[in-house]
Amino acid sequence: MSDYSATSGRDVHTVYFPHATPPAEVDVLIVGAGPVGLAAAIELTARGVLVAVVDQARTATLIRAGAMGHTPRVVEHFRRWGVLQQIRDEWTFPPEWNRGIRLVTSLVGHELLPTETPSFSGRGSGRHSSEEALRRPQSALQQVFLEHLERHSVSVSGGWRLTALRQDGGADGGGIDGGGIDGGGIEAELDEGDHAATRTVRARYVIGADGGSSSVRRLAGIERDGEYATEKRLRLIVRTGDISDRVGPAPSGTNIVFNNRASGFLAAVSTREWRVYAGPYPLDYEPTDAELVEVAQAAFGFDVDLEIASATTFYQATRIARTFRSDRVLLAGDAAHVRTPGGNLGEGFGDVVNLGWKLAAVLAGRAPEALLDSYDQERRPHNWRVGDFALARAQRSQLALADIRRIGVPDDDDLTADAVRRRAQIADRLAADRVNASGVTFDERYDASTVLWYEEGQLESEPGWRPDRYDDDPRPGHRAPDGVIDPYGGTLYDRIGSNFALLVLSADRSVEAEFIRAAAERGVPFTVVHLDDPQVRELYGAENVLVRPDQHVAWRGAELPNGGAAAVLDLILGAALITVA
């Protein structure tokens, strides 16, 4: 069976960026057409912001795609953006190969711990989200995002390299030249490279979503904190022939391998290509192709002809920008934070969702520029928490692997009593180290923000962030608990949409009336949701709950504070941060 027939004729291997000239002037120029940059364009376009995207590459390829797994929280964003079904349809290997993440001695070897598998007759969703996790390579996301942006006439241009940034007179050094742009803004100098053409794009703001080696970050003079790795690892893509005679027509598509020669992911990216991890290696060591093929064959567990299609270096380290905002420059995704692999793309989408409504409000004149400072206040501490967890988890995994190899992983064909005993020991060791990362997935709490109306004593009394625990929490700064609110599958997030929303959970509508009036005076798009379910009232713990456009609780209460709804909205929009000299 060819890849062509397996994907119904779709080319899943190459994503082509449009070959076009960027516009001369936009509200926001996004540098980087990876998933985060394209997602930023979707988020901002939906809010009426004129954007353009540029990238120095002309294509993105499946064999260079990084992220594969997407948490339920990320899928919630896909649903709101209106691209979820298209992403589901853009599979690069048959979805029935997905059987959860199996812990195995090899692809054809022994399963070390049981894996929860999907049920044909029912969903297995956790109680915190209406969505399931999803596995699609990031190149598939890029394809869907590009098609969505094309339908909305958004400019995306491949082959353009950023060479300089010039801010208006308010810029202060840091690698960005002052230039005095009329009306305030920033100029980006672009070079097409192949045709030696240049282009100047004027924008109100620039978003750097151009990866770990971000040109935007460098030109803005933003340094990073964190330690460098002391060793390196390789993410390989290997090509096989038809191996269905050994693995069957629907093999497990996602596996973590533990044996004496290979460890880490063995995951399908297409019907003929698999991701395999190799290493660690010293920073200055370059393994031969023969060494890498040997590691990959050990992961498969049988003698298979393999071709190395790509090898990408990655590191177990955390490097985070010292600020996510410098005047008119904003960083998102890997440009702002890189860490040990495992979910970093999801944090990039979280950046976009946090930033999008704030930037749109500033551009529309509904909020002062000071609101943008809260993007850094909220997202940078969260990314440090997740980055520290990811590094600690990787270090624990290395200790577990060392223990497993001390026990000794039996050959797959060894069925002796001693082999059975050692596999049981290995299973016990893995079970002892298994971590429920629900806090990483859902607990995006913002507990150091100047634009949230915290409750008295809240920050001193609420439990600390934990990567392995999450309870639905309706307090300000936390993700608003979601759930199905009608018998036809509509969720609370569907009802909220992309605006501010007031959840009215009692018969008293006085608070509602004040918020409607205050929002109208400020030109703030506003939704009111009436729910009389006592379980929802008990969960949220208040009669009225104000939810921000990024689905975080901003305020809750039975009565308005001094200053009323106007004071609440002014604080949340950053207007309360402006003082009169």
Side-chain angles (χ1 to χ4, degrees), residues 389-471:
F389 162 75
L391 182 57
R393 178 182 57 185
Q395 292 167 343
R396 286 196 306 271
S397 296
Q398 287 302 109
L399 294 174
L401 179 62
D403 289 345
I404 287 168
R405 286 178 170 170
R406 275 193 292 271
I407 295 169
V409 183
D411 290 341
D412 286 339
D413 58 1
D414 186 348
L415 304 179
T416 63
D418 178 65
V420 172
R421 177 186 60 78
R422 281 188 284 155
R423 290 191 191 104
Q425 282 184 274
I426 292 169
D428 289 343
R429 178 64 182 86
L430 290 172
D433 211 38
R434 221 169 192 177
V435 175
N436 166 22
S438 58
V440 176
T441 299
F442 293 110
D443 196 347
E444 287 183 303
R445 70 175 68 183
Y446 303 140
D447 50 13
S449 176
T450 55
V451 296
L452 288 164
W453 197 288
Y454 297 113
E455 296 169 359
E456 185 175 354
Q458 173 190 334
L459 300 180
E460 295 77 22
S461 63
E462 65 181 9
W465 185 88
R466 285 179 50 176
D468 60 341
R469 175 163 184 162
Y470 178 74
D471 296 309

Side-chain angles (χ1 to χ4, degrees), residues 164-428:
L165 289 173
R166 290 191 299 274
Q167 292 212 50
D168 62 12
D172 53 345
I176 302 181
D177 300 325
I181 301 169
D182 292 342
I186 186 167
E187 287 184 344
E189 293 291 341
L190 305 173
D191 175 50
E192 194 176 13
D194 290 350
H195 301 91
T198 60
R199 182 74 165 170
T200 299
V201 177
R202 295 174 178 83
R204 295 280 301 281
Y205 294 92
V206 167
I207 295 177
D210 50 342
S213 300
S214 170
S215 295
V216 174
R217 189 186 65 242
R218 175 178 54 81
L219 290 170
I222 300 174
E223 301 293 333
R224 291 189 293 179
D225 291 322
E227 296 182 359
Y228 288 98
T230 58
E231 55 191 11
K232 67 181 181 182
R233 289 165 170 77
L234 295 178
R235 182 168 52 228
L236 312 176
I237 298 294
V238 296
R239 290 199 178 104
T240 71
D242 183 357
I243 58 175
S244 59
D245 60 331
R246 290 300 307 269
V247 303
S252 171
T254 311
N255 313 272
I256 299 179
V257 172
F258 298 90
N259 64 43
N260 293 322
R261 289 183 294 165
S263 66
F265 270 105
L266 173 64
V269 297
S270 75
T271 58
R272 293 290 186 272
E273 289 154 326
W274 295 73
R275 175 185 292 175
V276 187
Y277 286 6
Y281 301 107
L283 293 173
D284 60 353
Y285 182 73
E286 295 299 331
T288 65
D289 283 0
E291 290 177 86
L292 298 177
V293 167
E294 181 182 1
V295 171
Q297 287 178 329
F300 281 90
F302 61 96
D303 188 14
V304 54
D305 289 332
L306 297 175
E307 171 195 353
I308 297 175
S310 74
T312 306
T313 303
F314 70 94
Y315 307 93
Q316 291 185 351
T318 303
R319 302 279 292 161
I320 296 182
R322 290 180 182 173
T323 181
F324 289 7
R325 181 199 177 200
S326 176
D327 294 332
R328 297 183 180 274
V329 172
L330 300 135
L331 303 179
D334 284 1
H337 45 82
V338 293
R339 61 174 175 82
T340 303
N344 200 39
L345 180 56
E347 302 311 321
F349 291 140
D351 297 341
V352 165
V353 171
N354 184 289
L355 175 61
W357 73 268
K358 297 174 180 177
L359 191 51
V362 171
L363 287 165
R366 294 191 291 265
E369 286 193 8
L371 177 62
L372 299 179
D373 290 333
S374 69
Y375 170 58
D376 177 73
Q377 292 170 358
E378 295 177 355
R379 291 304 298 175
R380 190 156 51 92
H382 173 72
N383 274 285
W384 270 113
R385 285 170 178 153
V386 176
D388 288 345
F389 162 75
L391 182 57
R393 178 182 57 185
Q395 292 167 343
R396 286 196 306 271
S397 296
Q398 287 302 109
L399 294 174
L401 179 62
D403 289 345
I404 287 168
R405 286 178 170 170
R406 275 193 292 271
I407 295 169
V409 183
D411 290 341
D412 286 339
D413 58 1
D414 186 348
L415 304 179
T416 63
D418 178 65
V420 172
R421 177 186 60 78
R422 281 188 284 155
R423 290 191 191 104
Q425 282 184 274
I426 292 169
D428 289 343

Side-chain angles (χ1 to χ4, degrees), residues 21-281:
T21 301
E25 190 166 350
V26 290
D27 291 331
V28 178
L29 176 66
I30 300 167
V31 181
V36 171
L38 296 175
I42 292 175
E43 177 77 25
L44 290 168
T45 298
R47 300 186 182 283
V49 177
L50 181 62
V51 305
V53 184
V54 296
D55 197 296
Q56 65 179 4
R58 297 190 182 275
T59 62
T61 59
L62 176 63
I63 62 172
R64 290 288 182 181
M68 288 283 292
H70 313 289
T71 68
R73 178 59 176 150
V74 169
V75 177
E76 290 171 353
H77 302 324
F78 293 163
R79 179 167 175 154
R80 183 171 60 82
W81 292 332
V83 296
L84 177 55
Q85 189 56 51
Q86 293 95 319
I87 290 172
R88 291 191 184 281
D89 293 342
E90 197 67 22
W91 44 267
T92 59
F93 61 87
E96 60 268 27
W97 290 21
N98 286 313
R99 302 178 186 176
I101 300 177
R102 297 174 68 242
L103 277 60
V104 297
T105 58
S106 71
L107 184 60
V108 296
H110 300 264
E111 187 165 14
L112 295 167
L113 282 177
T115 302
E116 183 178 346
T117 57
S119 167
F120 188 76
S121 58
R123 300 181 70 187
S125 177
R127 64 185 178 89
H128 300 302
S129 177
S130 302
E131 304 300 335
E132 302 280 359
L134 180 65
R135 287 192 69 80
R136 295 292 183 272
Q138 68 180 51
S139 56
L141 306 186
Q142 288 171 281
Q143 183 63 52
V144 171
F145 292 171
L146 283 168
E147 291 170 359
H148 180 93
L149 292 170
E150 182 181 21
R151 289 194 294 272
H152 290 80
S153 301
V154 176
S155 172
V156 180
S157 307
W160 291 89
R161 181 173 62 92
L162 177 69
T163 59
L165 289 173
R166 290 191 299 274
Q167 292 212 50
D168 62 12
D172 53 345
I176 302 181
D177 300 325
I181 301 169
D182 292 342
I186 186 167
E187 287 184 344
E189 293 291 341
L190 305 173
D191 175 50
E192 194 176 13
D194 290 350
H195 301 91
T198 60
R199 182 74 165 170
T200 299
V201 177
R202 295 174 178 83
R204 295 280 301 281
Y205 294 92
V206 167
I207 295 177
D210 50 342
S213 300
S214 170
S215 295
V216 174
R217 189 186 65 242
R218 175 178 54 81
L219 290 170
I222 300 174
E223 301 293 333
R224 291 189 293 179
D225 291 322
E227 296 182 359
Y228 288 98
T230 58
E231 55 191 11
K232 67 181 181 182
R233 289 165 170 77
L234 295 178
R235 182 168 52 228
L236 312 176
I237 298 294
V238 296
R239 290 199 178 104
T240 71
D242 183 357
I243 58 175
S244 59
D245 60 331
R246 290 300 307 269
V247 303
S252 171
T254 311
N255 313 272
I256 299 179
V257 172
F258 298 90
N259 64 43
N260 293 322
R261 289 183 294 165
S263 66
F265 270 105
L266 173 64
V269 297
S270 75
T271 58
R272 293 290 186 272
E273 289 154 326
W274 295 73
R275 175 185 292 175
V276 187
Y277 286 6
Y281 301 107

